Amino acid sequence: KISNHRTSVVFRRPVNPKEAPGYTDRILFPIDLSLIRKMIVAKMITSYAELHQRIGLICHNCVKFNGRESDYGVVTRDFEANVDECFIQAIMARAKSPPLKAPSPAPVSASANS
């Protein structure tokens, strides 16, 4: 859902250093949605908290390089709002689902009590 939002387009692939000279000098931990997807598949991201942190790094990098008031900064704020809404929906849906049942204890036979 996150990668399908219109504002995610600029975050789906790594930043091209030819299109953004100096990016690799200023951004220590470049990340994009394609890398996050690979990290999920490799089980390097296993929780909503970890996913939210990595997406936050995408946004941080964009604002750090382009500025909060730039066009990319505006897109980033919209993207962040969409991400937060997706997380709220996912967490609420999870909270509404029934909890996993604990396994029933094994029955005790009558001969075990004597």
Side-chain angles (χ1 to χ4, degrees), residues 44-84:
M44 295 171 67
I45 295 175
T46 58
S47 70
Y48 286 131
E50 290 171 337
L51 178 59
H52 197 264
Q53 181 183 29
R54 304 300 174 150
I55 292 173
L57 182 57
I58 290 175
C59 298
H60 172 80
N61 289 347
C62 185
V63 169
K64 180 177 180 180
F65 187 75
N66 297 291
R68 191 82 176 149
E69 300 307 319
S70 69
D71 289 343
Y72 284 111
V74 172
V75 169
T76 299
R77 286 196 299 275
D78 192 19
F79 177 70
E80 285 176 310
N82 174 62
V83 167
D84 289 344

Side-chain angles (χ1 to χ4, degrees), residues 7 20 26 37 47 55 61 66 69 71 73 101 104 108 113-114:
T7 57
R26 293 186 59 203
R37 184 178 302 272
S47 70
I55 292 173
N61 289 347
N66 297 291
E69 300 307 319
D71 289 343
K101 279 183 118 178
S104 303
V108 179
N113 290 335
S114 13

Side-chain angles (χ1 to χ4, degrees), residues 32-47:
D32 62 276
L33 291 172
S34 70
L35 180 57
I36 287 176
R37 184 178 302 272
K38 290 173 187 173
M39 293 172 82
I40 292 169
V41 170
K43 299 191 184 329
M44 295 171 67
I45 295 175
T46 58
S47 70

